[in-house]
Amino acid sequence: DAGITQSPRHKVTETGTPVTLRCHQTENHRYMYWYRQDPGHGLRLIHYSYGVKDTDKGEVSDGYSVSRSKTEDFLLTLESATSSQTSVYFCAIRDSKEKLFFGSGTQLSVL
Amino acid sequence: GESVGLHLPTLSVQEGDNSIINCAYSNSASDYFIWYKQESGKGPQFIIDIRSNMDKRQGQRVTVLLNKTVKHLSLQIAATQPGDSAVYFCAEGNDYKLSFGAGTTVTVRA
């Protein structure tokens, strides 16, 4: 998966609890992204990062925050998980030729 | 708002035939287009990309066509194989972000 590792691969949590998903890259790329995938919606951008401590919102950022303290790690946090955040979450990195490469995904279920 | 979408949610094709997957986009400012393939339980995998200054680009068994006049993108797969069964997404890019369509599920019949 192009040097991208997502953890955990699966997570079940309860409504109202905080959840943090981790994305780790070994490619030293500047741009990293978090997408969510839901039936009928394709992939929707949550947040992205263009460098250490540099992040910006995507189209569905409400209820999510991100942090990037190191080039290789991009964290996605749900401060208080809701059932509407049940989804598959994908991290991606952007190479020098603008191609996005995706991780294997995290299946999150909020009960 | 701007969106990227595919014409058909599903496509069934006979093994050995050519497949054509279509995509319409609405953001005329997009300058980069890309096709991804996603198999069950996996992340999207890059297939082929094309920039807005090109009309056609070929890869191994795949060809992407871009018609900027009608804002249409297509992916052609030659001699479709069972391993081509997957969900295919088109995406348009601008300002370091990609926007994805909902996807077309391709099923290859033996």
Side-chain angles (χ1 to χ4, degrees):
Chain A
D1 288 320
I4 308 170
T5 304
Q6 290 187 233
S7 59
R9 289 298 311 277
H10 300 89
K11 175 78 175 177
V12 180
T13 191
E14 294 183 346
T15 300
T17 61
V19 177
T20 295
L21 308 182
R22 179 178 183 246
C23 179
H24 178 81
Q25 64 153 327
T26 59
E27 307 296 317
N28 201 37
H29 288 308
R30 180 182 172 193
Y31 284 84
M32 298 184 75
Y33 303 80
W34 277 107
Y35 284 85
R36 62 176 287 175
Q37 185 174 38
D38 304 288
H41 289 280
L43 289 145
R44 292 181 292 175
L45 181 64
I46 305 172
H47 281 280
Y48 69 102
S49 171
Y50 47 96
V52 174
K53 299 188 188 302
D54 292 323
T55 65
D56 204 352
K57 296 179 180 180
E59 60 184 306
V60 290
S61 60
D62 287 348
Y64 302 95
S65 62
V66 290
S67 65
R68 190 157 178 215
S69 58
K70 298 185 290 184
T71 298
E72 57 265 38
D73 290 326
F74 191 33
L75 304 180
L76 177 70
T77 298
L78 291 67
E79 300 291 348
S80 178
T82 66
S83 58
S84 65
Q85 293 176 311
T86 291
S87 187
V88 180
Y89 291 85
F90 287 100
C91 175
I93 58 175
R94 181 174 182 267
D95 74 0
S96 58
K97 296 182 179 180
E98 297 188 42
K99 296 184 183 63
L100 258 62
F101 293 94
F102 288 84
S104 299
T106 294
Q107 173 69 61
L108 176 66
S109 297
V110 183
L111 306 178
Chain B
E2 305 287 3
S3 63
V4 177
L6 288 164
H7 290 308
L8 294 173
T10 61
L11 176 67
S12 180
V13 61
Q14 185 69 39
E15 181 179 357
D17 288 351
N18 296 335
S19 304
I20 300 177
I21 307 167
N22 295 304
C23 177
Y25 67 94
S26 57
N27 187 351
S28 57
S30 293
D31 58 7
Y32 179 59
F33 304 87
I34 191 167
W35 282 98
Y36 284 90
K37 172 186 179 183
Q38 187 176 27
E39 296 174 282
S40 181
K42 298 183 178 180
Q45 296 175 288
F46 169 84
I47 301 174
I48 192 168
D49 59 354
I50 189 169
R51 298 210 172 270
S52 59
N53 60 353
M54 301 173 68
D55 297 321
K56 179 180 179 180
R57 192 167 184 216
Q58 289 184 292
Q60 188 176 15
R61 277 203 310 120
V62 295
T63 300
V64 56
L65 298 176
L66 176 63
N67 186 332
K68 295 179 287 296
T69 301
V70 295
K71 296 178 187 171
H72 184 267
L73 188 70
S74 68
L75 178 70
Q76 299 177 3
I77 304 174
T80 309
Q81 302 170 357
D84 294 327
S85 292
V87 180
Y88 290 80
F89 295 95
C90 67
E92 59 174 324
N94 207 0
D95 296 332
Y96 308 109
K97 293 183 286 187
L98 284 180
S99 297
F100 287 80
T104 291
T105 300
V106 173
T107 302
V108 180
R109 304 189 306 273

